[in-house]
Amino acid sequence: MIYYIIPARKGSKGFPGKNRKLLPLTLESIPEQDKSSTIVSTDDEFIVDILKDCGVMIHNRSESVSSDTANTRDLLLEVSKDFNMRPEDEIVMMYLTYPERSETDVKKIYQFFKDSNGCSLLCAEEANIHPYRAFYSLGDDKGKKVVENDLYRRQDYPKCFMSSYFLAIIKVEYLPLVDKNLYHPQTIFYKLPHTIDVDGENDLNNFIKRRA
């Protein structure tokens, strides 16, 4: 069985009420026939109230996975336990911060996962900066290379990408094996063009203007 899980906790210091505003856009991207197997995990009574007639399931997340420092892996483990999911069940995890995601995207990425016989999937985008050019800040206007190297031509840099949580898919049996970023050495990556990841209100307003 496929479960669509949407994390939607109450707190958002940088953009108050962010998840409340983004939730309707995420619900639009879930295939209609799968709404009954959709779980919104939240500690927000406002979200619980607006979902009463939406045909989705609600997970009342515990305090331990509702803090600023909580990670998604532990949340998914809690949801899978609370809903008695089987090892062979699949979770499609949908962060709310990707308003460009469409139902077509969801179907296409899930089909890629099935065709690849994957155990877990994350998305990938071109990195904004190559790690060979990135530095740790040491203070006092000094830095240390993130990856030690002596290459100066960009053509000699190994190809790299950055992970994206536009969509994440994982079989329940692999949840205890992935790290807090939902990564496992057998994780496959679905390549995407650059997508909006809403961090602040301006990001959402710019998306709405473009969509109009």
Side-chain angles (χ1 to χ4, degrees):
M1 184 169 178
I2 307 170
Y3 290 92
Y4 294 80
I5 298 181
I6 304 172
R9 71 182 184 89
K10 180 165 52 178
S12 178
K13 294 179 180 178
F15 182 2
K18 174 177 68 175
N19 288 340
R20 297 177 180 182
K21 296 176 181 179
L22 290 167
L23 181 57
L25 293 170
T26 296
L27 290 174
E28 285 178 12
S29 66
I30 297 175
E32 191 62 36
Q33 68 271 19
D34 295 325
K35 291 284 175 66
S36 61
S37 60
T38 296
I39 302 168
V40 177
S41 179
T42 187
D43 59 339
D44 189 338
E45 293 180 4
F46 178 88
I47 288 178
V48 170
D49 189 58
I50 64 174
L51 287 174
K52 285 180 179 177
D53 299 316
C54 290
V56 303
M57 295 180 283
I58 297 171
H59 173 250
N60 296 307
R61 59 202 294 174
S62 67
E63 289 186 13
S64 65
V65 292
S66 298
S67 68
D68 291 341
T69 58
N71 66 82
T72 306
R73 179 199 62 193
D74 291 347
L75 169 65
L76 296 182
L77 282 167
E78 179 178 282
V79 176
S80 66
K81 180 180 178 181
D82 290 350
F83 282 81
N84 297 313
M85 294 182 189
R86 301 168 301 176
E88 66 271 21
D89 288 337
E90 297 166 341
I91 290 173
V92 177
M93 197 278 294
M94 307 176 75
Y95 274 145
L96 292 169
T97 56
Y98 293 92
E100 293 175 300
R101 183 178 48 216
S102 68
E103 181 177 332
T104 300
D105 292 323
V106 174
K107 289 179 177 178
K108 187 182 297 183
I109 297 171
Y110 179 75
Q111 190 59 53
F112 173 81
F113 175 74
K114 297 302 287 184
D115 291 344
S116 303
N117 196 29
C119 59
S120 73
L121 173 145
L122 295 172
C123 291
E125 294 185 14
E126 184 177 350
N128 294 326
I129 182 172
H130 197 285
Y132 277 31
R133 299 182 64 188
F135 284 75
Y136 296 112
S137 176
L138 300 178
D140 296 325
D141 302 317
K142 294 181 180 179
K144 174 179 172 60
K145 289 181 178 179
V146 171
V147 179
E148 288 296 336
N149 72 95
D150 197 30
L151 299 176
Y152 67 95
R153 296 196 326 146
R154 285 180 297 175
Q155 299 92 324
D156 295 332
Y157 292 172
K159 290 183 178 180
C160 70
F161 58 84
M162 64 180 188
S163 63
S164 164
Y165 295 89
F166 183 86
L167 201 72
I169 306 175
I170 185 167
K171 291 183 178 179
V172 171
E173 63 183 313
Y174 282 91
L175 277 175
L177 304 178
V178 297
D179 65 16
K180 293 179 181 179
N181 295 302
L182 301 182
Y183 172 75
H184 181 273
Q186 297 301 316
T187 296
I188 58 174
F189 288 86
Y190 182 88
K191 295 181 176 61
L192 289 170
H194 178 68
T195 55
I196 294 176
D197 183 2
V198 173
D199 186 46
E201 194 163 6
N202 285 338
D203 295 328
L204 180 57
N205 290 337
N206 288 336
F207 167 74
I208 292 173
K209 288 177 183 177
R210 282 169 32 191
R211 195 187 194 200

